[in-house]
Amino acid sequence: MTSKERLVKALKGERVDRPPFICPGGMMNMATVEVMKQVCAPWPDAHVNPQKMSQLALGVSRLTGIENLGVPFCLTVEAESLGARVVMGTLETEPRVAGYPLREVDQWPALKEAASDASRAQSVTEAVSLLARDDNGLPVIANLTGPVTLATSLVEPMAFFKAMGKQPEEVHSFLSFITGRLIAFGKAQLQAGAEVLTIADPSGTGEILGPRRFAEFALPYLNCVLEELKGCCKATIVHICGRLGSIFQEVDRLKADAISIDSLTSVSDLKNALLNKVVVGNVSTYLLQKSRPDRIKNAAAACLKHGAAVLSPACGISPLTPLANLQAMAHAAKEFSPGGSEE
């Protein structure tokens, strides 16, 4: 069974020989400084140059044992294409939004003129094409920022969240526009050769929105992207940060094949509440950076025993995460027997 076959089957809830080990890319960054130096594809060059971007994604998989290829390595690409000012960061820090193009939500129609598919969005699509061209059995994952998170990269987050109560119609119009842009970018990555889609919406968490606002402002737009793109890919993942206990019922209505969760949410609790959900996760990224390989391996095995079908870090990893700790996760996945205990 190839890595590509194993991941797609696992995300669909089908039987596999062992769980896959992935880190999708995008907000779920998997690049580390050790890998960047070994493959001569350092940040920030690898955020903008498609050759360096694909070289780094391949190097991550080869050196860590992560069984997918994914780009980009941040969640600022879509915001930049809509006029946000982005600082590219350094070898050890990710790009970040340094200037919002909007002061208030009701200014969103101005984004239509600022919108551009040039620059980094184009580089990401080209990198996906390069990765897909060298078909080596590894799945290429397309990555999108979730609608709520993208909105809070275009206008100050508190202004956006306040507008949900004061100007809900404007918020819906804003999110509808954003969703259309995300669908177009996702389609471009999938047409370039990506086969699995991940949407990461860290600001769309239940801890920030609560069940009612998650149902009104996050769920419909995530499902819209999923519905539009499911025919273009083999499987879909949605990642949401924070504690999900308050929105388990709403999470059950997500039309993704699998849900990726933070270490703050228990795999067992989610599996007990939503029996049929495929769970991706959720080894603590703090543990990954600070702990030892033997403890990482034990934590990874525990995630799998509790019901994670796909092993993954709980969020984007720190670029300072030791290579040996990621390799320990890969060993845990390879030694795990789905029908019983570790081999």
Side-chain angles (χ1 to χ4, degrees), residues 110-168:
L111 295 176
K112 293 178 181 176
E113 295 182 5
S116 168
D117 292 325
S119 69
R120 282 206 298 146
Q122 209 166 41
S123 295
V124 171
T125 305
E126 192 174 336
V128 169
S129 179
L130 290 170
L131 292 168
R133 189 183 61 192
D134 299 329
D135 186 10
N136 49 22
L138 291 169
V140 181
I141 298 183
N143 286 282
L144 291 177
T145 301
V148 170
T149 302
L150 179 53
T152 57
S153 297
L154 298 170
V155 64
E156 202 280 323
M158 285 310 298
F160 177 75
F161 293 128
K162 286 180 180 176
M164 287 180 171
K166 295 180 178 179
Q167 298 174 290

Side-chain angles (χ1 to χ4, degrees), residues 7-241:
L7 178 60
V8 172
K9 283 179 175 287
L11 292 173
K12 295 287 186 183
E14 298 174 14
R15 188 173 179 82
V16 290
D17 55 348
R18 64 166 177 83
F21 168 39
I22 68 166
C23 192
M27 187 214 74
M28 302 267 298
N29 163 61
M30 78 291 260
T32 69
V33 170
E34 279 183 270
V35 175
M36 293 180 218
K37 288 181 176 177
Q38 288 197 39
V39 303
C40 300
W43 289 356
D45 287 354
H47 293 305
V48 296
N49 180 311
Q51 285 75 29
K52 292 289 184 185
M53 198 181 293
S54 60
Q55 190 176 325
L56 181 53
L58 280 166
V60 166
S61 179
R62 179 170 60 83
L63 294 172
T64 65
I66 289 172
E67 298 171 293
N68 73 277
L69 304 170
V71 290
F73 310 108
C74 68
L75 48 60
T76 60
V77 174
E78 298 96 327
E80 187 180 53
S81 73
L82 287 168
R85 184 166 65 85
V86 172
V87 175
M88 279 299 146
T90 68
L91 180 69
E92 298 179 358
T93 61
E94 295 180 21
R96 63 180 177 83
V97 171
Y100 303 113
L102 305 177
R103 282 182 290 107
E104 302 292 342
V105 168
D106 58 10
Q107 295 174 331
W108 72 266
L111 295 176
K112 293 178 181 176
E113 295 182 5
S116 168
D117 292 325
S119 69
R120 282 206 298 146
Q122 209 166 41
S123 295
V124 171
T125 305
E126 192 174 336
V128 169
S129 179
L130 290 170
L131 292 168
R133 189 183 61 192
D134 299 329
D135 186 10
N136 49 22
L138 291 169
V140 181
I141 298 183
N143 286 282
L144 291 177
T145 301
V148 170
T149 302
L150 179 53
T152 57
S153 297
L154 298 170
V155 64
E156 202 280 323
M158 285 310 298
F160 177 75
F161 293 128
K162 286 180 180 176
M164 287 180 171
K166 295 180 178 179
Q167 298 174 290
E169 292 183 1
E170 285 290 349
V171 172
H172 281 298
S173 297
F174 183 28
L175 288 169
S176 293
F177 169 73
I178 284 173
T179 299
R181 295 284 304 179
L182 289 171
I183 290 168
F185 184 41
K187 190 172 291 183
Q189 293 181 66
L190 295 168
Q191 288 176 342
E195 294 171 301
V196 174
L197 172 70
T198 295
I199 307 173
D201 209 353
S203 296
T205 176
E207 286 178 305
I208 297 175
L209 300 180
R212 184 176 63 81
R213 286 189 170 176
F214 183 89
E216 179 176 357
F217 294 106
L219 185 63
Y221 300 100
L222 286 167
N223 278 343
C224 182
V225 177
L226 292 164
E227 284 288 296
E228 285 290 329
L229 296 181
K230 68 180 182 183
C232 306
C233 59
K234 294 181 177 176
T236 55
I237 305 168
V238 168
H239 176 86
I240 299 176
C241 289

Side-chain angles (χ1 to χ4, degrees), residues 278-325:
V278 173
V279 177
V280 178
N282 69 340
V283 175
S284 161
T285 52
Y286 179 81
L287 195 70
L288 273 169
Q289 183 181 351
K290 299 292 185 182
S291 194
R292 303 187 311 264
D294 59 324
R295 292 192 62 196
I296 301 299
K297 192 174 176 183
N298 289 339
C303 285
L304 297 170
K305 286 177 183 174
H306 291 151
V310 178
L311 183 63
S312 173
C315 201
I317 65 170
S318 163
L320 300 179
T321 301
L323 195 53
N325 286 353

